[in-house]
Amino acid sequence: MNPIAIVAAMHEELAALLAAMPDEHRVRVAGREFWLGHLHGQPVVAVLSRIGKVAAATTATVLLERFRARAIVFTGVAGGLAPNVAVGDVVVATRLLQHDLDASPIFPKYEVPLTGHARFATDTAISDALAAVTARLLRKPAALLGQTVVDDFGLAAPKLHRGLLVSGDRFVSTAAESAALRRDLPDALAVEMEGAAVAQVCHDYGVPFAAVRTISDRADDAAHADFTRFVAAVASRYSLALIDAWLRTLAVPA
Ligand code: ADE
């Protein structure tokens, strides 16, 4: 059976995933290392996307053309935009949009020219399953992270959100910029730099896509503070735990 692709945005996440794969081996394509193996009996290909929309689109295309991935799941971090989306919460995307794409007046703002779409839908079955395992994990954050980390980052009651994730080629790190995004895209939950590009590639190929992001910052003037520590202590552990829990729910191929 064709593999499920797990695309991680950060090295720490990928390392955690590889450590859980008993038989991983590496194939190098386009300067990237694709790790093939099994997790809970599922054939898996895991890769670092690198950062930004073009890097992510290249990675997705190789996953589909070369490795024949049957679905792509993206994990990583994002900056919270909606008022109730806090650091330590998790967003499972229902749709993704490129917030820095604007070919108006030839095409409507945000629309990917010649596709007729601005918002690309994620796969409902995979997203529902990811949301279910995430909700379960978030009920007991200390079991996953330890009480010290929960106290340090104030993560006593992390929430699951589902909705619009927006992507663009910029790390949003001023209150002015995140306020502008909130004004222009009031239903956007969070911002990152890759997801909508992968969603577009998967749409072109007709392959299911899902994205799950841990909120690492509020996309404001403090966005860079504690980022690295948060990724290592919180986001990479969430990612591994929820991908692991999701793969366990799938039927093992014969
Ligand atoms: N990924 C995590 N935080 C982000 C931010 N503030 N802007 C863009 N991508 C992010």
Side-chain angles (χ1 to χ4, degrees), residues 198-214:
V198 180
Q200 183 181 334
V201 173
C202 285
H203 174 264
D204 287 349
Y205 280 85
V207 169
F209 170 71
V212 50
R213 296 273 191 169
T214 303

Side-chain angles (χ1 to χ4, degrees), residues 17-189:
L17 208 64
L18 295 180
M21 283 163 63
D23 59 343
E24 88 282 4
H25 67 279
R26 183 176 50 175
V27 180
R28 214 177 150 77
V29 184
R32 291 148 167 80
E33 295 183 336
F34 293 81
W35 294 88
L36 300 166
H38 289 80
L39 254 180
H40 303 304
Q42 296 294 333
V44 164
V45 51
V47 62
L48 261 194
S49 64
R50 300 193 177 172
I51 295 169
K53 293 191 298 176
V54 174
T58 304
T59 306
T61 307
V62 174
L63 282 169
L64 298 175
E65 283 287 345
R66 178 74 175 256
F67 297 100
R68 303 280 165 210
R70 71 176 198 267
I72 298 184
V73 175
F74 204 111
T75 76
V77 292
L81 287 177
N84 63 332
V85 175
V87 170
D89 290 359
V90 175
V91 172
V92 174
T94 55
R95 291 180 189 279
L96 296 99
L97 166 149
Q98 297 178 45
H99 68 76
D100 56 354
L101 178 55
D102 185 359
S104 62
I106 319 292
F107 294 94
K109 191 173 180 185
Y110 306 121
E111 186 169 301
V112 177
L114 308 178
T115 67
H117 296 289
R119 295 164 184 244
F120 288 77
T122 54
D123 182 79
T124 308
I126 298 177
S127 300
D128 285 354
L130 284 170
V133 296
T134 304
R136 183 154 44 81
L137 287 170
L138 292 186
R139 250 174 254 142
K140 289 192 180 151
L144 196 61
L145 306 172
Q147 194 60 46
T148 314
V149 171
V150 167
D151 293 343
D152 276 6
F153 288 96
L155 307 175
K159 299 183 292 293
L160 164 70
H161 306 268
R162 301 187 69 180
L164 179 67
L165 201 54
V166 298
S167 314
D169 282 318
R170 42 198 309 138
F171 187 86
V172 179
S173 58
T174 66
E177 197 179 344
S178 50
L181 284 171
R182 263 192 298 279
R183 182 194 63 220
D184 295 344
L185 294 161
D187 59 335
L189 295 176

Side-chain angles (χ1 to χ4, degrees), residues 77-80 99 166 168 170-173 191-194 213-220 223 227:
V77 292
H99 68 76
V166 298
R170 42 198 309 138
F171 187 86
V172 179
S173 58
V191 59
E192 38 85 311
M193 301 180 68
E194 297 85 16
R213 296 273 191 169
T214 303
I215 302 304
S216 57
D217 57 83
R218 281 285 307 164
D220 57 13
F227 184 82

